[in-house]
Amino acid sequence: KATKDFIIFIRDFNSFVIRTNTCGELRSAHVGQEVTLYGWIQYQRQGLFLVLRDFQGLTQIILPQDEAHSHVKKLLSNAPVESVVRVTGIVSSRPPGQENPKMPTGDIEVKAETAEILNSCKKLPFEIKDFIKKSEALRMQYRYLDLRSFQLQYNLRLRSHIVMRMREYLCNLHGFVDVETPTLFKRTPGGAKEFLVPSREAGKFYSLPQSPQQFKQLLMVGGLDRYFQVARCYRDEGSRPDRQPEFTQIDIEMSFVDQAGIQRLIEGLLQYCWPEERGPIVTPFPSMTYKEALADYGTDKPDTRFGMKIVDISDFLRRLDIQFVQNALSYPHGTVKAICIPQGVKCLRQQCITTDAVCDATFMKHSFPGWCLSDFPDSKIAPSHYLPSLLQCSALGNLRLESADLLEAAGLVLRDPTAFHFLWVVDFPLFLPKEENPTELESAHHPFTAPHPSDTSLLYSDPTKARSQHYDLVLNGSEVGGGSIRIHSAEQQRFVLEKVLKEDSEVLSHLLEALEFGAPPHGGIALGLDRLISLIVDAPSIRDVIAFPKSFRGRDLMGNAPDYVTPEELEPYHIQVSWPLAERGKEKL
Amino acid sequence: KATKDFIIFIRDFNSFVIRTNTCGELRSAHVGQEVTLYGWIQYQRQGLFLVLRDFQGLTQIILPQDEAHSHVKKLLSNAPVESVVRVTGIVSSRPPGQENPKMPTGDIEVKAETAEILNSCKKLPFEIKDFIKKSEALRMQYRYLDLRSFQLQYNLRLRSHIVMRMREYLCNLHGFVDVETPTLFKRTPGGAKEFLVPSREAGKFYSLPQSPQQFKQLLMVGGLDRYFQVARCYRDEGSRPDRQPEFTQIDIEMSFVDQAGIQRLIEGLLQYCWPEERGPIVTPFPSMTYKEALADYGTDKPDTRFGMKIVDISDFLRRLDIQFVQNALSYPHGTVKAICIPQGVKCLRQQCITTDAVCDATFMKHSFPGWCLSDFPDSKIAPSHYLPSLLQCSALGNLRLESADLLEAAGLVLRDPTAFHFLWVVDFPLFLPKEENPTELESAHHPFTAPHPSDTSLLYSDPTKARSQHYDLVLNGSEVGGGSIRIHSAEQQRFVLEKVLKEDSEVLSHLLEALEFGAPPHGGIALGLDRLISLIVDAPSIRDVIAFPKSFRGRDLMGNAPDYVTPEELEPYHIQVSWPLAERGKEKL
């Protein structure tokens, strides 16, 4: 199933090496040929045969039983599993009845004539076949063994293939230029999640950027017209599950483009690179405003593979005499919303719906202590008052997702595991109140986002109401991309930085200056490659589509990074470690 | 000249945007069509016409002179040079005799009907056409303006195109897998040039690796079979001319391959990606041993575009009665070597050959104080005694290059500027005496290099004499790549690390362990992409093929990186700055 795609595009796996074939390609048509294979011993049986494995598949090798070849038999019989061997022999049909239709090479076997042990494998710390069941920490420590598994080989090869197709589409079909931008740069305003890199100038640090945002905009000012990069990005968030300190995005920027142009580009890109075995995807992708997404799904990244939308049942409830509901409805803009869960009564009545889903919304806890796990058939109700807020909506959105998980745990099929639902979410607000101080504003995404064409005057009169030209791409309820049309007027950019965000624009003076020297209108997008690939291959974690991922604490468990360094090594960088008191003892010489 | 290559591969520069054409593509065939162009005003003349520029070329725009379009004329006439405009109009033939055969669009002009100023450019700090003459520091500060030049657009687009062709060759034709490896890793032994990245664990640091060496070998252990990556690498060398703290290499590794296999792969790769306009390259590339290179050219990266080889003239001189020469020859292995410089007497007699070229060889200065700028016709002589040493050879090699420069300055054509001479240099020594302590050995390249198949036993008996399976790729006297067949036996790797190099192998324990679990024989190479592209486009510096290069002090002059950070920003990383006494005053709050 996995190999089909590759055979179409890849000509020759055996160029420049001495093997004649890979372990996955021999068929009946090869019978009678002498072949030389290289691979790992997958398993062997009683000096009779063994199975040789490489990246492309398995081939059954028959050990010679005659006296003249006794040394070959001995050599191969004694080689431990996972040893690397060369086998030369003749391709033969398997005896009638012994074909294995489940194996692509199941019609043939190779009768070994000569062999060589290239590397004997010492006893493994575990059985390879049990490996998958072992803890992820062990698999990470022996990542090079884990990489031999079918699944990881498939994931990494599909990733490589998809990226190659993206490049063909962008470079060869649409004239994009692949430009590498620096990763040693300087802190951006609010760049609290940027790793620092000490330089040899005392007190001065580089910073590893979270994205090439500034550079891609400067490339547009430089007239590059169409830029893309498979860009390594960095984000220091401490420990967070399923995040990586370094990650990859497909980074794109275009001049003279509008929001629809970027959207059509990305739809074409995904259609072009989409693996055939995952079925076709339909374009254009549906689109939804931020407001609709929050109202109907309680999140800005709705999983549209299933219904159970949030509905407003205020009008229905207004007719009933339930005190706490009437109370809620009596507030200005008071509403009660519900989710209708098909077979909810049957499947969920006995279930323990954790109240966290609703209660962790701070707003609800503080502003409306009463909430209700309803007894109405097929519904869960969370009452509300005041304007529909993000917090309140997200409580219902979480409830919706949690209910879906519970329904599926109970055996219902709610989300087709082979379905891919792409969705554009658009018309985001340009600014949001700061969490720690709601009277101040911060950018909903980043300060370079242009206002919605209809809301340009609102930017100056009432920025809280201005929508942006930001767009998110959502796949099956995960955000897989985001971008915007950028501000290309220096005056507007300065207004946003200084008057709305009250930030010191000095640190961005190079960008502001660039906008004054003939910056074209431009916009772009970045796709999160790790997340996208993990959804395509249905992997539980992005770690499964990265060759050498870090643990959720940001550690490399194989090579043991990060690690201590000596004070002498720090000297050229004019830094020293400030040891927390409790850890003084750990200090190394 | 530059565009030819791109038109073949790139379909549509106008997809997803509102322009109908780029400024480089209109021809006589378009006459009569209404077109919409977007671009920068290159120059304008007296309200009559202007020249619009984009990444692909120039188009002459005729301003309307009739009353009905007076606003269009006014708008465009008043727009400063380098402003960004939209022009819609009708393509017309130029009046007979006014065609410009030097301009691809020289047969036509566009009669403007409507126009729009998208961004007005403020007065530039210099005239764009003088820009190239300005200091490089100014060009770096306004890099986004420099990027608009034909030369930088060409360099970056050609780079993107060449890399894309390399990917097609590796991925699509030969089954390589593009795998991204981490850049946040840990210090490698002897990794003094690795940047450090503080982590949130007190005293622990990541390191930015100089190359993915360990990872690519581990991918081979993991059965990936054929890996490549366009890899970002880091090297902190302080200030060095024409080096960059971050640079890019085409990183390749294969299993079950020998030296010849890698060489043929690279020759095919370069032939496949080579830009047609630079003429064909012939494969296989010639090969030369390290010993021959030193003996004949006095360097391990010979420029073979011209002769002037080093020759041994001892036998000739032995017959003459020159005291200091006889003296030199009387030492064991005493030799006198010379370079025959065609027209040297004529061209160089009046020239000041700096004696540094010869004298900076410490060995010569200390061991043989007399040396001779010969009066023999057409030769320069540097006498020697003792075994031919690298130092002595490199003195002659430098003399050869310096003489070539002087000859060319005098008007002789020695090196064809359109010639590309690739050369493999092979059979390097495996180890070299440490400069600071010649009784100890260090790896000539890196400790993972396998010994030459003929010298395996020498590795154990007399490692100083063992040659390696390292190979360098040289182009016109510059090293553009290097690689080796690697050690794949844990026992041999441990011997090299512990017994020969006397290093603590603990820090590489993960790699040693991996070699014990069925590591296949493997080898690879890395090409220095920046250097390669700069040679192809004949750029004076690698900075000319990098979008946002750093200055030779490692600074970004546009964005001003590296920069100071606050002590609060350092806190999560448990580090503080050790201010040198003289700089305390600079400390920021």
Side-chain angles (χ1 to χ4, degrees), chain A residues 84 155 233 311 364 481:
Chain A
V84 182
N155 292 356
C233 303
V311 286
M364 296 274 311

Side-chain angles (χ1 to χ4, degrees), chain A residues 129-142:
Chain A
K129 61 172 180 257
D130 295 337
F131 195 32
I132 196 79
K133 300 176 218 150
K134 300 283 173 181
S135 76
E136 199 187 2
L138 190 73
R139 290 173 56 202
M140 300 264 277
Q141 189 188 339
Y142 294 98

Side-chain angles (χ1 to χ4, degrees), chain A residues 77-336:
Chain A
S77 305
N78 291 340
V81 164
E82 291 301 314
S83 295
V84 182
V85 301
R86 172 187 66 77
V87 173
T88 301
I90 307 289
V91 184
S92 315
S93 294
R94 292 202 189 182
Q98 292 189 27
E99 300 90 349
N100 182 348
K102 286 185 200 152
M103 221 174 149
T105 64
D107 287 337
I108 59 94
E109 55 196 16
V110 171
K111 294 196 189 301
E113 300 201 322
T114 68
E116 191 184 347
I117 310 295
L118 299 163
N119 213 342
S120 187
C121 182
K122 81 165 188 187
K123 193 168 159 35
L124 294 170
F126 38 77
E127 294 272 321
I128 276 278
K129 61 172 180 257
D130 295 337
F131 195 32
I132 196 79
K133 300 176 218 150
K134 300 283 173 181
S135 76
E136 199 187 2
L138 190 73
R139 290 173 56 202
M140 300 264 277
Q141 189 188 339
Y142 294 98
R143 187 66 169 179
Y144 45 88
L145 295 177
D146 207 12
L147 286 173
R148 292 182 192 165
S149 68
F150 169 81
Q151 193 58 55
L152 276 183
Q153 290 273 332
Y154 174 73
N155 292 356
L156 293 182
R157 282 164 194 277
L158 186 70
R159 178 182 177 132
S160 167
H161 174 66
I162 287 176
V163 171
M164 186 65 200
R165 293 282 288 174
M166 287 181 170
R167 292 177 179 281
E168 287 169 6
Y169 179 84
L170 293 167
C171 267
N172 293 355
L173 300 187
H174 294 290
F176 280 76
V177 188
D178 178 7
V179 181
E180 299 170 68
T181 58
T183 55
L184 293 173
F185 197 50
K186 72 165 180 183
R187 282 236 143 171
T188 43
K193 292 172 178 171
E194 290 174 357
F195 284 102
L196 291 172
V197 182
S199 80
R200 286 174 189 251
E201 288 186 76
K204 289 193 173 181
F205 292 79
Y206 297 104
S207 173
L208 299 175
Q210 282 187 257
S211 89
Q213 184 62 35
Q214 290 185 48
F215 292 111
K216 68 194 214 174
Q217 294 195 238
L218 289 165
L219 286 173
M220 294 303 105
V221 180
L224 257 286
D225 200 64
R226 298 175 166 217
Y227 143 91
F228 90 101
Q229 183 182 195
V230 181
R232 188 70 58 89
C233 303
Y234 299 87
R235 189 166 43 203
D236 180 19
E237 299 181 300
S239 303
R240 282 189 60 177
D242 218 23
R243 287 287 183 100
Q244 289 284 314
E246 48 186 322
F247 59 98
T248 304
Q249 64 187 36
I250 308 293
D251 199 47
I252 289 173
E253 196 80 8
M254 284 175 90
S255 294
F256 310 115
V257 75
D258 60 11
Q259 177 165 323
I262 297 284
Q263 289 175 333
R264 296 304 86 78
L265 169 80
I266 294 303
E267 288 159 358
L269 174 76
L270 287 166
Q271 207 159 38
Y272 186 86
C273 75
W274 199 253
E276 213 182 318
E277 69 227 53
R278 302 284 151 179
I281 54 175
V282 178
T283 59
F285 301 152
S287 185
M288 191 182 285
T289 66
Y290 172 79
K291 215 170 148 186
E292 288 167 348
L294 279 196
D296 292 351
Y297 295 93
T299 173
D300 59 359
K301 37 177 199 276
D303 187 344
T304 51
R305 287 175 298 176
F306 66 105
M308 288 166 49
K309 288 191 195 177
I310 299 166
V311 286
D312 190 323
I313 53 167
S314 311
D315 288 346
F316 170 72
L317 290 177
R318 237 181 278 278
R319 284 176 264 143
L320 306 180
D321 185 27
I322 308 170
Q323 191 48 48
F324 79 91
V325 168
Q326 292 303 337
N327 195 21
L329 287 172
S330 69
Y331 283 83
H333 305 288
T335 56
V336 179

